[in-house]
Amino acid sequence: MQGGSKTTGVELWDYDRLSDNDFYGEKTFTNCFNGTSYASRGEYNGLPQESDFFFQLDNVGGGSNACCLLWATYAGVDTTLADS
């Protein structure tokens, strides 16, 4: 993180080509800023069976998207609960 506080919001959206995208909430991540061996996790439940979800950063550094730079080495999706 360069500038701002060490927080970022991650929004989950469902892409809809013919209408507005559906918003499924935002999680605020902080733990991942403690070092490379730390991770932040968010959990979303009850999502529809679709394959066109996307994530969008929001409030990077505790402010607007334009306030800071954010570098990430990894972002992943764990579907373990959905598979059981």
Side-chain angles (χ1 to χ4, degrees):
M1 169 67 75
Q2 179 181 1
S5 67
K6 294 187 177 186
T7 65
T8 189
V10 177
E11 299 175 341
L12 179 62
W13 292 85
D14 175 19
Y15 175 74
D16 286 325
R17 182 173 48 135
L18 301 176
S19 64
D20 291 338
N21 294 329
D22 297 321
F23 177 62
Y24 288 100
E26 178 178 340
K27 308 295 181 180
T28 300
F29 292 167
T30 59
N31 196 43
C32 54
F33 295 101
N34 292 327
T36 57
S37 62
Y38 293 85
S40 292
R41 292 177 173 83
E43 185 174 310
Y44 295 90
N45 297 300
L47 299 173
Q49 291 283 8
E50 305 207 16
S51 61
D52 53 0
F53 291 104
F54 66 93
F55 293 102
Q56 178 173 299
L57 293 178
D58 187 35
N59 298 318
V60 176
S64 69
N65 282 335
C67 84
C68 314
L69 296 174
L70 175 71
W71 290 272
T73 56
Y74 175 77
V77 175
D78 179 358
T79 62
T80 304
L81 290 176
D83 296 337
S84 58

